[in-house]
Amino acid sequence: MTVKSLSDFSNLETQVVIQVLLPMCNVGWIDIVTSRDSFIFRITEMGEIAYYLSVKEHELICKVDKYQKRREVFVDYFDNYYSFYSFDSPLLTHARYISEMNKNKNIVTLPIDDSNSYPKYTKMYSVMAREHEKIDNVLDEAVYTLTTKKYLLVDMLYIEGREQGRIIDDNKVKKLNSKLIRQIKNTLPAIVKDDNSLLKAHFSKDENNYEVKVIAKRGDVDFVYGGQNTKAKLIELIQSSTDFLVIHSTFIGKWCIVNDDGYTHLFLEIKEALKRGVQVYILWGKSNAEETDENFEKSDSEDKAVESKLRDFNESCHQEGMLNVVNYNDFRRTDSHAKFVITNHGDRGLCTMVSSCNFLYAKFERFEASVVVYNDQFTKYFLEIAANICCGKSTFDSKVRKEFRGLSSNIADTPNDVDIPNNEKLELRLVLKHQHHSYIDLAAQAKNKIYIISDFINTSPIRPIFDALKESEAKKHYYYSKKSSYIDHSEIVEMHDDLKSADSLSQLGAHHSNSHAKVLAWDNNDLLITSLNWLSASAPDNLVEIYHEIGVYVQGWNVAKEFIKEFKSL
C-alpha cells in the first residue's frame, strides 16, 4: 500500500504513518518499494509471522538477551560523563595524540586534572547503557581513580576579528556538554592570539585576489550547452577514461543507476571502465538531513535506498568476476553543491568538467551549462579540491583523500607562459564560493550587456547583485526558472518593480526554457559557469565552506557571445 492509501485508511497524517512504519522497516517486518510517483510499503515474510503471532497470542514475542559487557566511560574538562557511544569518531590514544602534536604544532589541549578525578558511580551508570539496554548489575566497582586519557580532536576555523573559533564538524560535538563546547570555541591557539593570522585557502592567489589562473588553447576547452549534450559529454568522458575517474554529484537518484531494463547506460559504461582497470570514485555532495528536520524520515529512507542500489551495483560486478569496483568513499558526504568530473582522457589527456548538472540525479531534460578543460595544471588543482572535500567537514586523512592527493602530486607543474594567438587564447580561473561576487564587480564594468542565469530566485541577490550592478551602463538580463519555496509571487512582483524603478536598464523574469544553468556572462568575452544559484544562494566573502560552490571563469574571444546566442535560441 502507498503512504496515501494507508493515511486514508487510518485517518492519520502521512507524516505520522511514516513514523509508525519506519521502525517496522528497521526490524524487517516491511520493506519499501518505490514507484515512479510514490513509496509502496510491502509486508515481508517475517512481518506476516509477527502479525499472526500478535493475532494468536495477543502480543509480540520479546526476546531478551542477557550478556556481560565491559564499557568505557569518559569524563571531560567539566566533570561531565559520556559513554563510548557518545562519539561519532574514534577517540585518540595518548600515543596517537602525541604523534598528531608532533605533526601539527597548533593543536591546543584543554587541561584536565586527573589527580582530582574520582569516579561518580551514579553518573557512570547513567551513561553506560545504550538505548535498547538496561543495566541489571555492575560486577566490579573497584575503580578508584581515572588515569587513562583519550582525546577528541576537533577541527576549528578562526576568522579575523572574531574572538571565538568555529567548530567545523558539528557532528563530532553534538553530544558534548554545552559548557564544554563554549570552552572549545573560546580557547584560541597561540598563532591566532599572538599573530592574529589565519589559515588561508590552499591555493596561491594573484594580485587581484582571484583564484589560480590557467592559460589554455581554445581547442583544449569544450563548452557544453543543453541537457542531452551534457549527457553525451559525460558518457564520452566515462568511455574515454583511463587510470581514474572521479564523479562528484550533489544529489544521486536511483533512476540514474537502474531502470526497468536493468542498469542504466551511464552505469553500464562505468562497469566497462572498471573492466579496463579504471579506478572509479563517486562522491556524494548532499548533506545528511538533520534528525530535527520534518522531512528527515523521507530523506533518510531515500538515501538508504540509493546506497543499497549502489552496493548492489558493486555486487553485480563481483558476480561477473570483477575485482575492481566503484569506490563510494564510504558514502561520506562532501557537503558541497559543486558538480564536476575528473579523469585522464585516453586521447586528450587529463581533464576536468565543471557543470551546473547533477550528473547522477538529472534526467538531462533541462538546459545545462558546462565547461571541460583539458589541462594538466587545472586537473591537478581540482584533484586537490576533491581531496579537500571528500571527507566533508573533517580535515583528517582518509584512504580516498590520500589517493586523490597522490594523483595530484604525480602531475608535474607546467608553466603558464604559453605563446598562443589572442584569438585562440583562453584565460581560466577557478572560482570558489566566496569569490563569486568579485566577478559581479568585474561585470559591472561591462559596456553593452550582462546576463545572469539562475535556477532559483529569492531575495538574496538584492544587495550583492542588483545593488552592485545598478550603476552599470550595460543592460542587465536576470533570468530564473523557479522561485524558492519561501518566497511568494507577490514578493517577486515587488522585487521586480523595485528593481525596475532603481535601474531602468534591468530586466528580471522567469525563463520559459526550464533552465538549470548557473551562468554569469557579459559583453562578448567574459563567461563564468558555476554551481552557484546566482539569484537565490548567498556567497559571503569569508573562508567558511569555500568549496561549497565552484565555478570556472573564462575570458576569451567571443566565449560569452556564443553562450548568450545559445541561450537566446531556447
Side-chain angles (χ1 to χ4, degrees), residues 279-312:
Q279 297 298 311
V280 180
Y281 303 86
I282 289 180
L283 303 181
W284 197 346
K286 175 189 173 186
S287 301
N288 286 312
E290 297 289 340
E291 292 186 12
T292 54
D293 191 326
E294 62 179 9
N295 294 317
F296 170 76
E297 288 87 356
K298 182 175 183 294
S299 177
D300 187 56
S301 175
E302 290 172 349
D303 290 354
K304 287 178 179 176
V306 169
E307 290 180 16
S308 176
K309 294 298 182 186
L310 292 172
R311 289 192 180 95
D312 289 347

Side-chain angles (χ1 to χ4, degrees), residues 305-556:
V306 169
E307 290 180 16
S308 176
K309 294 298 182 186
L310 292 172
R311 289 192 180 95
D312 289 347
F313 175 77
N314 275 358
E315 181 59 32
S316 75
C317 293
H318 285 311
Q319 290 174 359
E320 293 181 28
M322 297 167 55
L323 297 178
N324 189 24
V325 294
V326 178
N327 189 326
Y328 300 121
N329 191 36
D330 295 328
F331 296 111
R332 290 178 175 175
R333 306 305 173 83
T334 67
D335 297 315
S336 174
H337 190 243
K339 302 100 167 62
F340 58 82
V341 178
I342 316 172
T343 191
N344 190 3
H345 193 287
D347 298 322
R348 302 179 67 179
L350 294 164
C351 66
T352 302
M353 180 179 187
V354 179
S355 181
S356 62
C357 179
N358 285 299
F359 302 110
L360 301 181
Y361 190 85
K363 296 180 181 178
F364 303 100
E365 296 169 347
R366 305 181 68 187
F367 180 77
E368 305 280 2
S370 309
V371 57
V372 188
V373 183
Y374 299 85
N375 180 279
D376 289 7
Q377 199 67 29
F378 195 81
T379 303
K380 180 183 179 75
Y381 294 144
F382 245 94
L383 283 167
E384 276 291 335
I385 289 176
N388 285 336
I389 69 174
C390 71
C391 294
K393 295 175 182 177
S394 173
T395 59
F396 280 111
D397 279 350
S398 68
K399 186 174 183 292
V400 170
R401 176 173 280 170
K402 290 176 181 177
E403 289 174 2
F404 287 165
R405 285 184 172 153
L407 291 170
S408 176
S409 64
N410 288 335
I411 301 173
D413 290 322
T414 53
N416 256 335
D417 53 344
V418 183
D419 187 17
I420 303 172
N422 284 339
N423 63 339
E424 289 294 322
K425 181 178 179 180
L426 296 179
E427 178 182 307
L428 303 101
R429 297 175 189 266
L430 284 176
V431 183
L432 304 184
K433 178 179 178 179
H434 65 296
Q435 297 163 335
H436 278 72
H437 288 156
S438 298
Y439 288 87
I440 295 293
D441 296 337
L442 279 181
Q445 303 170 25
K447 301 299 181 184
N448 300 312
K449 55 186 177 290
I450 302 171
Y451 275 73
I452 293 183
I453 319 298
S454 180
D455 185 13
F456 289 97
I457 188 170
N458 58 28
T459 57
S460 296
I462 292 175
R463 180 168 300 193
I465 296 180
F466 296 161
D467 288 355
L469 293 179
K470 68 181 180 182
E471 301 299 329
S472 171
E473 299 175 358
K475 188 170 183 179
K476 278 79 72 178
H477 304 265
Y478 305 108
Y479 290 110
Y480 62 92
S481 295
K482 294 176 287 189
K483 68 179 183 66
S484 297
S485 58
Y486 46 89
I487 183 173
D488 59 36
H489 180 69
S490 63
E491 289 177 291
I492 293 179
V493 172
E494 181 182 356
M495 184 164 55
H496 176 275
D497 293 343
D498 289 346
L499 176 62
K500 199 66 180 176
S501 63
D503 182 4
S504 61
L505 295 174
S506 67
Q507 176 183 325
L508 171 66
H511 200 268
H512 63 272
S513 66
N514 193 24
S515 169
H516 188 250
K518 292 95 171 166
V519 176
L520 167 64
W522 67 94
D523 289 343
N524 293 328
N525 304 329
D526 297 271
L527 177 69
L528 200 168
I529 295 173
T530 181
S531 63
L532 178 83
N533 276 303
W534 291 99
L535 301 183
S536 64
S538 61
D541 186 15
N542 59 47
L543 298 181
V544 179
E545 298 179 333
I546 61 173
Y547 301 119
H548 185 69
E549 308 283 2
I550 302 176
V552 178
Y553 165 71
V554 186
Q555 185 180 56

Side-chain angles (χ1 to χ4, degrees), residues 160-259:
E160 190 169 358
R162 297 189 183 180
E163 297 180 356
Q164 264 195 354
R166 177 179 177 273
I167 297 171
I168 293 177
D169 189 352
D170 290 331
N171 286 329
K172 273 193 173 184
V173 298
K174 64 183 179 182
K175 294 184 180 178
L176 294 186
N177 178 270
S178 59
K179 189 176 180 181
L180 178 60
I181 292 175
R182 285 196 301 271
Q183 184 66 46
I184 292 171
K185 291 179 178 179
N186 291 330
T187 304
L188 303 180
I191 188 174
V192 174
K193 289 190 294 186
D194 299 341
D195 302 333
N196 199 30
S197 60
L198 304 169
L199 295 175
K200 305 298 181 182
H202 179 73
F203 300 124
S204 59
K205 300 178 181 179
D206 67 11
E207 65 276 6
N208 292 320
N209 199 34
Y210 296 132
E211 198 45 85
V212 289
K213 180 172 68 175
V214 168
I215 305 298
K217 296 179 182 178
R218 183 63 182 255
D220 290 334
V221 178
D222 293 341
F223 297 95
V224 185
Y225 304 132
Q228 288 302 311
N229 289 339
T230 301
K231 181 179 181 180
K233 177 56 71 173
L234 175 61
I235 294 293
E236 181 215 322
L237 291 179
I238 297 171
Q239 290 174 335
S240 304
S241 62
T242 64
D243 302 328
F244 64 90
L245 171 68
V246 182
I247 301 175
H248 183 277
S249 184
T250 308
F251 304 106
I252 301 178
K254 291 190 298 182
W255 51 87
C256 283
I257 307 169
V258 293
N259 55 31

